[in-house]
Amino acid sequence: MKRFFFLLSAVVVSLTMAAQMQVWSNGTIIFSHDQTDVDSISFGSPMQVQANFNALSSTSLAGGVYTSSLSGSSTNNELYALFFLDGSNGYYGRNNAGWPNSYINFIKDFTYSINGDDITISMDGRTIHGKVIGKNGLVFTDFYYYVPCSTCSGSEGYYPAVFVTLNR
């Protein structure tokens, strides 16, 4: 019997030395921590936390890719995208109907700056103004400059643009 209790206590001690505290939610571990670093655990009503999705944690969109549509436009599948290289530089690209050799495909470089939720892009000698919406959206009031053809409807001028991302 002494051997059994000695063996049982040795197993318990060895398990507690390598134990991890884990918090589960819907079958997934959402938090794991070494047990030796935990001095207390408290349970109570959930904390009231508010998130400000309009606040930016930085003034950079580095590494972000924003697109005008997640599938291209509904009529001709044109895809417009903003690629942010670092804290102040990027590329704007257009792909016409997914055709790699289309004569109207292009890539243009730009610089940008962010101040609060305002974003300013400098491209082709003009300044484009917009807002950063949370972490996943960009809205510009004067992004596209449209010059209608002789058979096209619409008037010449600046038009808005919206870009979204799935970056996390």
Side-chain angles (χ1 to χ4, degrees), residues 56-119:
L56 282 176
S57 60
S58 71
T59 58
S60 172
L61 297 173
V65 177
Y66 290 76
T67 180
S68 60
S69 169
L70 297 179
S71 64
S73 72
S74 60
T75 56
N76 57 6
N77 292 322
E78 289 183 3
L79 182 63
Y80 301 91
L82 296 170
F83 305 90
F84 294 90
L85 297 177
D86 54 32
S88 61
N89 298 291
Y91 287 102
Y92 167 59
R94 173 186 179 182
N95 187 312
N96 180 42
W99 299 336
N101 60 347
S102 175
Y103 71 95
I104 57 177
N105 289 350
F106 61 78
I107 294 178
K108 298 179 181 180
D109 61 331
F110 65 81
T111 59
Y112 75 99
S113 63
I114 297 175
N115 184 8
D117 62 354
D118 294 323
I119 183 170

Side-chain angles (χ1 to χ4, degrees), residues 108-165:
K108 298 179 181 180
D109 61 331
F110 65 81
T111 59
Y112 75 99
S113 63
I114 297 175
N115 184 8
D117 62 354
D118 294 323
I119 183 170
T120 304
I121 291 181
S122 297
M123 179 171 50
D124 283 345
R126 67 183 189 97
T127 303
I128 302 166
H129 305 90
K131 296 282 185 186
V132 178
I133 310 298
K135 296 284 186 185
N136 294 341
L138 301 173
V139 178
F140 298 96
T141 57
D142 55 354
F143 194 87
Y144 299 113
Y145 184 71
Y146 178 70
V147 179
C149 61
S150 59
T151 59
C152 302
S153 62
S155 57
E156 183 173 336
Y158 294 101
Y159 287 87
V162 175
F163 291 86
V164 297
T165 187

